[in-house]
Amino acid sequence: MKRVPHITLEDIARQLDVSRVTVSKALRGHPDISQEMTKRVRKVADDLGYSPNIIARSLSARRSNMIGLVVPKIAHFFFGAVIESVYNTAFEHNVETILTVSQENAEREKKHLQTLVSMRVDGIIISISQETHDLDIFRWIRQMGIPLLFLDRRPDPPLPGFSSVLVDDRGGTLRAIDHAVAVGYRKLAYIGGGPHINIGKERFAGFEQALEKHGIPLRKNWVIRGGFGRDDGYNGFMQLHRSGDLPEFIFAVTYPVALGVYEAAKVLGVRIPEDVDIMSFGDSDVTRFITPSLSCVNQPTLELGSKAVELLLSIIANPDSVADQHVIVPTDLILRETCVRERPSRRQEAG
Amino acid sequence: MKRVPHITLEDIARQLDVSRVTVSKALRGHPDISQEMTKRVRKVADDLGYSPNIIARSLSARRSNMIGLVVPKIAHFFFGAVIESVYNTAFEHNVETILTVSQENAEREKKHLQTLVSMRVDGIIISISQETHDLDIFRWIRQMGIPLLFLDRRPDPPLPGFSSVLVDDRGGTLRAIDHAVAVGYRKLAYIGGGPHINIGKERFAGFEQALEKHGIPLRKNWVIRGGFGRDDGYNGFMQLHRSGDLPEFIFAVTYPVALGVYEAAKVLGVRIPEDVDIMSFGDSDVTRFITPSLSCVNQPTLELGSKAVELLLSIIANPDSVADQHVIVPTDLILRETCVRERPSRRQEAG
DNA sequence: TTGAAAGCGCTAACAA
DNA sequence: TTGTTAGCGCTTTCAA
């Protein structure tokens, strides 16, 4: 493969006998340059197969037109959809998205953040890993003057100096439990991750609040605080089952947790929804196709991604806006074959 | 937010009263510099919170340590897994991956490729969109001297001058059909995308080859060539059903196509696997959880990603290697609740 | 073992 | 309307 040196502004300029600056301006449609000249420059650029070197442009302009995106996972319905939305929105604004994946690993997350800073992205959107505890890196980034905002997952308690775009975790859970109670359940369990991250804290808070509202006492052994993955659901249900005292209904903090519950239930011969009913926070394509299809709290991924990009770009454009902004996006309830009134067999027995 | 100018080599150099070059070398662990000095430089860099500007580095070094990745979709099990593997492998090699998503749109794909060239990535890995017909962009990229390789999906006929990492589409399909025949089926249908892309052509070729091998004539109205998505499966099955002549078994070119078939079957009251049995090319998490769980040809995503990155890096390191390389990764059969011997109810009737 | 000089390709400020 | 000058922050010779 012959290594043809790339065409540069210089090459185009020489061919037209003008200066690089003229070419640079013409190519960017700068009003300084005449229609006539602009057209000629564009023509030559095309003919030569010119491709602007955005590395050089970034260095010179001190602005990369790139934003960084850090997510914990990629092969996950929610994050897949959010990433897509971020990409699409950024694309519309002529901004490139640099995606990095932490794999729920705090060390790796930190490394990625350093890389993004090194790449001089104009801003960063992050959904932190389950394990992120050390927050110094965020302070360092703030000190570097790079806008960063949290999307969906952020440290709890929140870090001052950072905006965020969040899901209404508490309200969504509250509505789900309201529904479960309306269906007739009184023995409610919760399986989900810890409180050092907002989604763990808020979703559980919604659960607690709902119980209180309905005058249902919280049973400690029906609250399993693990992580947010399938294993956690599986193990959580096993633990619930071992205790010999199964609840009527389980709220799973994420859909992978719910899938883990399905798996464990199958292994144990416990029927869903007849023996134990279930809902989850978070939709996916699996939940639609599984039997019984899973009712859940749906997070508006499209809106999350676009809001995040737009907020970030506005902060980039105006870095001196004083106050942190916190956008909270509402959820909706998707009812499928679990947790529905219309299958009241056991409910009648239970009274 | 105060805009603190980033720390540069110059700042570190001044503080130590040495030159930028010394600092640059020390930071990169260049053997020119003494242990002692290296240590001192590193210390100051740390204290100052130095973050190397890789934009500047790339410009100067004429090498970005970035590779571009172009995929048609991201919220798709196969691509999600492949992306993850590419990222992980690149990460191990200290290479950053720039992901772009074409959304199965040829225009967008072209734009992304131009952007990647503009970013001066060291190489590109691409899985082309269903609609990619104009191949000039690839020739242009080759002319620019940027190594590009096709992963899983490539134009058919193949473009000379490009290496590829592919799945054994033909062999995998062949084995699947062998299995279906062994289970007892003779009335076999195929639903899948067109032949201008290798996965469409090769998988169908495997289907044809299998039929021929078993002396089963190919029935034109049992071959539906549409696209690769859920809609195509849905519509395909509807079409099959309308013809009033249902096959015993359907081979779906991808798992979304299979899901579409499930949906259509449900709508029509056709039972899977009792009335029509099915397998697909490509696994996913949905196929495991759906009822009945779907038997399929599994593509080794991990291996695909890592092989692709490694091959690309080797081409980058040695751009003058003459011959195109084509790695073909084998598949395996995953048997679940569809297309199994152990549910022979209808088979016995059918003789 | 260290440093001076030159340049990567581009843009912004200021002249002409 | 076009061009000149001066970098952006870094690396790569090559000389000291």
Side-chain angles (χ1 to χ4, degrees):
Chain A
M1 200 180 281
K2 336 147 231 202
R3 211 150 246 309
V4 189
H6 285 142
I7 308 289
T8 71
L9 289 185
E10 184 75 51
D11 299 321
I12 301 175
R14 207 164 26 220
Q15 192 144 135
L16 285 162
D17 209 32
V18 296
S19 82
R20 294 182 316 189
V21 181
T22 306
V23 176
S24 168
K25 285 180 178 169
L27 252 23
R28 283 176 296 152
H30 200 291
D32 269 8
I33 308 299
S34 68
Q35 289 283 330
E36 165 64 14
M37 185 47 118
T38 301
K39 220 169 276 174
R40 286 175 58 208
V41 169
R42 292 236 164 102
K43 171 95 175 56
V44 175
D46 266 8
D47 291 351
L48 261 41
Y50 172 74
S51 161
N53 183 330
I54 33 188
I55 297 269
R57 176 180 291 174
S58 298
L59 181 62
S60 172
R62 262 90 134 262
R63 145 158 230 194
S64 62
N65 283 304
M66 302 188 301
I67 60 173
L69 175 60
V70 187
V71 296
K73 289 203 151 295
I74 189 168
H76 180 290
F77 186 81
F78 174 74
F79 290 110
V82 167
I83 292 167
E84 207 154 292
S85 172
V86 167
Y87 264 88
N88 289 342
T89 312
F91 187 72
E92 284 162 18
H93 291 269
N94 282 310
V95 168
E96 203 59 31
T97 306
I98 308 296
L99 172 69
T100 63
V101 185
S102 67
Q103 309 279 20
E104 298 282 12
N105 174 334
E107 264 318 297
R108 198 148 161 182
E109 180 174 277
K110 186 171 167 185
K111 236 179 147 172
H112 284 316
L113 285 169
Q114 285 166 337
T115 304
L116 290 173
V117 170
S118 266
M119 293 178 82
R120 298 299 188 262
V121 293
D122 296 333
I124 295 173
I125 296 174
I126 182 170
S127 217
I128 65 171
S129 88
Q130 286 179 41
E131 302 179 345
T132 304
H133 292 102
D134 179 10
L135 305 179
D136 283 347
I137 181 84
F138 298 108
R139 302 195 182 92
W140 176 71
I141 289 173
R142 184 178 44 200
Q143 203 192 315
M144 305 282 286
I146 299 180
L148 177 147
L149 71 77
F150 293 102
L151 174 58
D152 180 54
R153 292 189 185 185
R154 70 168 177 193
D156 202 286
L159 212 47
F162 297 93
S163 294
S164 46
V165 173
L166 307 172
V167 173
D168 182 13
D169 291 298
R170 187 186 297 228
T173 308
L174 187 58
R175 271 181 64 195
I177 304 299
D178 274 353
H179 174 76
V181 170
V183 165
Y185 297 125
R186 286 292 175 279
K187 299 170 149 192
L188 309 171
Y190 179 96
I191 302 183
H196 63 282
I197 189 168
N198 63 319
I199 62 168
K201 181 174 165 188
E202 289 295 312
R203 291 176 195 176
F204 183 66
F207 181 76
E208 270 186 313
Q209 197 174 322
L211 291 201
E212 195 174 329
K213 171 176 160 189
H214 295 289
I216 300 174
L218 184 75
R219 298 247 309 241
K220 285 266 163 57
N221 54 335
W222 282 348
V223 174
I224 316 267
R225 308 296 297 263
F228 298 87
R230 198 181 283 178
D231 294 355
D232 301 296
Y234 186 90
N235 297 330
F237 189 76
M238 285 296 181
Q239 186 178 329
L240 236 36
H241 187 261
R242 266 197 308 277
S243 79
D245 183 20
L246 272 187
E248 298 166 329
F249 172 86
I250 293 172
F251 188 77
V253 73
T254 63
Y255 83 84
V257 167
L259 293 185
V261 170
Y262 272 69
E263 286 183 313
K266 192 168 189 179
V267 168
L268 295 170
V270 174
R271 293 168 306 164
I272 297 174
E274 292 83 359
D275 302 329
V276 180
D277 211 340
I278 183 166
M279 285 183 83
S280 76
F281 203 105
D283 192 18
S284 97
D285 48 353
V286 185
T287 55
R288 182 151 76 246
F289 280 99
I290 202 170
T291 307
S293 58
L294 178 67
S295 299
C296 63
V297 180
N298 181 47
Q299 301 145 290
T301 49
L302 225 79
E303 199 179 343
L304 282 168
S306 62
K307 283 253 165 78
V309 171
E310 265 142 26
L311 179 53
L312 181 64
L313 293 182
S314 87
I315 297 173
I316 291 170
N318 181 11
D320 302 308
S321 56
V322 261
D324 302 349
Q325 293 184 59
H326 302 285
V327 177
I328 295 191
V329 181
T331 62
D332 52 309
L333 217 54
I334 297 183
L335 295 181
R336 299 206 179 92
E337 292 168 7
T338 67
C339 203
V340 285
R341 253 181 241 279
E342 293 76 35
R343 188 193 290 95
S345 52
R346 188 170 52 87
R347 248 103 287 151
Q348 294 176 333
E349 297 161 26
Chain B
M1 202 181 279
K2 336 149 231 206
R3 212 147 247 308
V4 189
H6 286 143
I7 309 290
T8 70
L9 288 184
E10 184 74 51
D11 298 322
I12 300 174
R14 208 165 26 220
Q15 190 144 134
L16 285 162
D17 210 31
V18 295
S19 83
R20 293 183 317 189
V21 182
T22 307
V23 176
S24 169
K25 286 179 176 168
L27 252 23
R28 282 176 296 152
H30 200 291
D32 269 8
I33 308 299
S34 67
Q35 289 284 330
E36 165 65 11
M37 185 47 116
T38 300
K39 217 169 278 175
R40 284 175 60 208
V41 169
R42 292 237 164 103
K43 172 93 174 57
V44 175
D46 267 7
D47 291 351
L48 260 41
Y50 173 74
S51 161
N53 184 329
I54 33 188
I55 297 270
R57 176 178 292 173
S58 298
L59 182 60
S60 170
R62 265 93 133 261
R63 154 161 240 254
S64 62
N65 281 305
M66 302 188 302
I67 60 173
L69 175 60
V70 187
V71 296
K73 289 206 151 290
I74 187 168
H76 180 292
F77 186 81
F78 174 73
F79 291 111
V82 167
I83 293 166
E84 205 154 294
S85 172
V86 167
Y87 264 88
N88 289 341
T89 312
F91 187 72
E92 284 162 17
H93 291 270
N94 282 310
V95 168
E96 203 59 30
T97 306
I98 309 296
L99 172 70
T100 63
V101 185
S102 67
Q103 309 279 20
E104 297 282 13
N105 174 335
E107 264 319 296
R108 199 149 161 179
E109 180 176 275
K110 185 170 167 187
K111 234 175 149 177
H112 284 315
L113 284 169
Q114 285 166 337
T115 303
L116 290 174
V117 170
S118 266
M119 294 178 83
R120 300 296 188 262
V121 294
D122 296 334
I124 295 173
I125 296 174
I126 182 171
S127 216
I128 65 171
S129 88
Q130 287 178 39
E131 303 179 346
T132 303
H133 293 102
D134 178 10
L135 305 180
D136 283 347
I137 181 86
F138 298 109
R139 303 195 181 93
W140 176 70
I141 289 173
R142 185 180 43 200
Q143 202 192 317
M144 305 284 285
I146 299 179
L148 178 148
L149 72 77
F150 294 102
L151 175 58
D152 180 53
R153 291 189 186 186
R154 70 167 178 195
D156 201 285
L159 212 49
F162 297 93
S163 295
S164 47
V165 173
L166 306 172
V167 173
D168 181 14
D169 291 299
R170 185 186 297 231
T173 307
L174 187 59
R175 271 182 63 195
I177 304 301
D178 274 353
H179 174 76
V181 170
V183 165
Y185 297 126
R186 287 290 175 280
K187 300 170 151 191
L188 309 171
Y190 179 95
I191 301 182
H196 64 282
I197 189 169
N198 62 319
I199 62 169
K201 182 175 164 186
E202 289 294 314
R203 290 176 197 175
F204 183 66
F207 180 76
E208 270 187 312
Q209 196 174 321
L211 291 200
E212 194 175 330
K213 172 176 160 189
H214 294 289
I216 301 174
L218 185 75
R219 298 248 307 243
K220 284 264 163 62
N221 55 334
W222 281 349
V223 174
I224 317 267
R225 308 294 299 261
F228 299 88
R230 198 182 285 179
D231 293 355
D232 301 296
Y234 185 90
N235 297 330
F237 188 76
M238 285 297 180
Q239 186 178 329
L240 237 34
H241 186 261
R242 266 197 306 277
S243 80
D245 183 21
L246 270 187
E248 296 168 329
F249 172 86
I250 293 172
F251 188 76
V253 72
T254 63
Y255 83 85
V257 167
L259 293 184
V261 170
Y262 272 69
E263 285 182 313
K266 193 168 188 179
V267 168
L268 295 171
V270 174
R271 292 168 307 163
I272 297 174
E274 291 82 359
D275 303 329
V276 180
D277 211 342
I278 184 167
M279 285 183 81
S280 76
F281 203 106
D283 192 19
S284 97
D285 47 355
V286 185
T287 55
R288 182 150 77 245
F289 280 100
I290 202 170
T291 307
S293 58
L294 178 66
S295 300
C296 63
V297 180
N298 182 46
Q299 303 145 291
T301 50
L302 225 80
E303 199 179 342
L304 282 168
S306 61
K307 282 254 166 75
V309 172
E310 265 143 25
L311 179 53
L312 181 64
L313 293 182
S314 87
I315 297 173
I316 292 170
N318 182 11
D320 302 309
S321 56
V322 262
D324 302 349
Q325 293 184 57
H326 301 287
V327 177
I328 295 191
V329 182
T331 62
D332 53 310
L333 218 53
I334 298 183
L335 294 181
R336 299 210 178 91
E337 291 167 9
T338 66
C339 202
V340 286
R341 251 181 242 280
E342 292 77 33
R343 191 192 291 94
S345 53
R346 190 169 53 85
R347 246 104 291 154
Q348 293 174 335
E349 298 160 24

